[in-house]
mmCIF file of all heavy atoms in Angstrom:
data_model
loop_
_atom_site.group_PDB
_atom_site.id
_atom_site.type_symbol
_atom_site.label_atom_id
_atom_site.label_comp_id
_atom_site.label_asym_id
_atom_site.label_seq_id
_atom_site.Cartn_x
_atom_site.Cartn_y
_atom_site.Cartn_z
ATOM 1 N N LEU A 69 149.677 -18.158 191.423
ATOM 2 C CA LEU A 69 149.228 -19.585 191.456
ATOM 3 C C LEU A 69 147.859 -19.663 192.203
ATOM 4 O O LEU A 69 147.644 -18.940 193.160
ATOM 5 C CB LEU A 69 150.230 -20.431 192.159
ATOM 6 C CG LEU A 69 151.690 -20.353 191.592
ATOM 7 C CD1 LEU A 69 152.645 -21.156 192.450
ATOM 8 C CD2 LEU A 69 151.722 -20.809 190.160
ATOM 9 N N ASP A 70 147.024 -20.508 191.712
ATOM 10 C CA ASP A 70 145.650 -20.487 192.224
ATOM 11 C C ASP A 70 145.536 -21.047 193.636
ATOM 12 O O ASP A 70 144.460 -20.989 194.264
ATOM 13 C CB ASP A 70 144.699 -21.206 191.284
ATOM 14 C CG ASP A 70 145.077 -22.660 191.015
ATOM 15 O OD1 ASP A 70 145.927 -23.157 191.702
ATOM 16 O OD2 ASP A 70 144.508 -23.251 190.102
ATOM 17 N N ASN A 71 146.581 -21.670 194.146
ATOM 18 C CA ASN A 71 146.537 -22.110 195.571
ATOM 19 C C ASN A 71 147.154 -21.131 196.500
ATOM 20 O O ASN A 71 147.367 -21.410 197.650
ATOM 21 C CB ASN A 71 147.299 -23.458 195.668
ATOM 22 C CG ASN A 71 148.830 -23.299 195.468
ATOM 23 O OD1 ASN A 71 149.231 -22.349 194.789
ATOM 24 N ND2 ASN A 71 149.579 -24.193 196.003
ATOM 25 N N GLN A 72 147.367 -19.932 195.978
ATOM 26 C CA GLN A 72 148.065 -18.908 196.743
ATOM 27 C C GLN A 72 147.187 -17.749 197.152
ATOM 28 O O GLN A 72 147.620 -16.722 197.677
ATOM 29 C CB GLN A 72 149.231 -18.389 195.860
ATOM 30 C CG GLN A 72 150.187 -17.398 196.505
ATOM 31 C CD GLN A 72 151.109 -16.832 195.484
ATOM 32 O OE1 GLN A 72 151.780 -17.498 194.778
ATOM 33 N NE2 GLN A 72 151.168 -15.525 195.337
ATOM 34 N N MET A 73 145.875 -17.908 196.880
ATOM 35 C CA MET A 73 144.939 -16.794 197.061
ATOM 36 C C MET A 73 144.514 -16.628 198.491
ATOM 37 O O MET A 73 143.343 -16.628 198.858
ATOM 38 C CB MET A 73 143.709 -17.049 196.192
ATOM 39 C CG MET A 73 143.983 -17.016 194.702
ATOM 40 S SD MET A 73 144.184 -15.353 194.104
ATOM 41 C CE MET A 73 142.544 -14.764 194.271
ATOM 42 N N THR A 74 145.470 -16.494 199.369
ATOM 43 C CA THR A 74 145.251 -16.242 200.792
ATOM 44 C C THR A 74 146.286 -15.239 201.258
ATOM 45 O O THR A 74 147.268 -15.015 200.570
ATOM 46 C CB THR A 74 145.390 -17.548 201.633
ATOM 47 O OG1 THR A 74 146.770 -17.907 201.683
ATOM 48 C CG2 THR A 74 144.600 -18.662 201.029
ATOM 49 N N PRO A 75 146.078 -14.661 202.434
ATOM 50 C CA PRO A 75 147.075 -13.641 202.875
ATOM 51 C C PRO A 75 148.363 -14.312 203.362
ATOM 52 O O PRO A 75 149.252 -13.601 203.901
ATOM 53 C CB PRO A 75 146.338 -12.946 204.009
ATOM 54 C CG PRO A 75 145.353 -13.925 204.515
ATOM 55 C CD PRO A 75 144.920 -14.664 203.304
ATOM 56 N N ARG A 76 148.564 -15.589 203.221
ATOM 57 C CA ARG A 76 149.783 -16.269 203.593
ATOM 58 C C ARG A 76 150.304 -17.212 202.510
ATOM 59 O O ARG A 76 151.130 -18.039 202.786
ATOM 60 C CB ARG A 76 149.597 -16.998 204.923
ATOM 61 C CG ARG A 76 148.472 -18.008 204.925
ATOM 62 C CD ARG A 76 148.382 -18.713 206.263
ATOM 63 N NE ARG A 76 147.362 -19.724 206.281
ATOM 64 C CZ ARG A 76 146.113 -19.504 206.654
ATOM 65 N NH1 ARG A 76 145.755 -18.330 207.111
ATOM 66 N NH2 ARG A 76 145.207 -20.486 206.683
ATOM 67 N N GLY A 77 149.815 -17.024 201.296
ATOM 68 C CA GLY A 77 150.234 -17.918 200.234
ATOM 69 C C GLY A 77 151.660 -17.700 199.749
ATOM 70 O O GLY A 77 152.200 -18.549 199.066
ATOM 71 N N GLU A 78 152.230 -16.557 200.086
ATOM 72 C CA GLU A 78 153.577 -16.227 199.608
ATOM 73 C C GLU A 78 154.587 -17.280 200.098
ATOM 74 O O GLU A 78 155.603 -17.565 199.420
ATOM 75 C CB GLU A 78 154.038 -14.843 200.045
ATOM 76 C CG GLU A 78 153.196 -13.722 199.444
ATOM 77 C CD GLU A 78 151.904 -13.569 200.109
ATOM 78 O OE1 GLU A 78 151.634 -14.336 201.112
ATOM 79 O OE2 GLU A 78 151.141 -12.710 199.711
ATOM 80 N N SER A 79 154.410 -17.805 201.304
ATOM 81 C CA SER A 79 155.436 -18.596 201.882
ATOM 82 C C SER A 79 155.690 -19.882 201.122
ATOM 83 O O SER A 79 156.746 -20.149 200.643
ATOM 84 C CB SER A 79 155.048 -18.929 203.322
ATOM 85 O OG SER A 79 156.204 -19.541 203.968
ATOM 86 N N GLU A 80 154.626 -20.687 200.886
ATOM 87 C CA GLU A 80 154.808 -21.945 200.209
ATOM 88 C C GLU A 80 155.250 -21.731 198.767
ATOM 89 O O GLU A 80 156.091 -22.453 198.264
ATOM 90 C CB GLU A 80 153.477 -22.758 200.240
ATOM 91 C CG GLU A 80 153.088 -23.237 201.604
ATOM 92 C CD GLU A 80 153.925 -24.412 202.127
ATOM 93 O OE1 GLU A 80 154.760 -24.917 201.331
ATOM 94 O OE2 GLU A 80 153.773 -24.812 203.258
#
Side-chain angles (χ1 to χ4, degrees):
L69 306 175
D70 59 12
N71 67 336
Q72 187 188 304
M73 294 284 291
T74 72
R76 54 179 181 268
E78 295 78 1
S79 190
E80 292 286 354

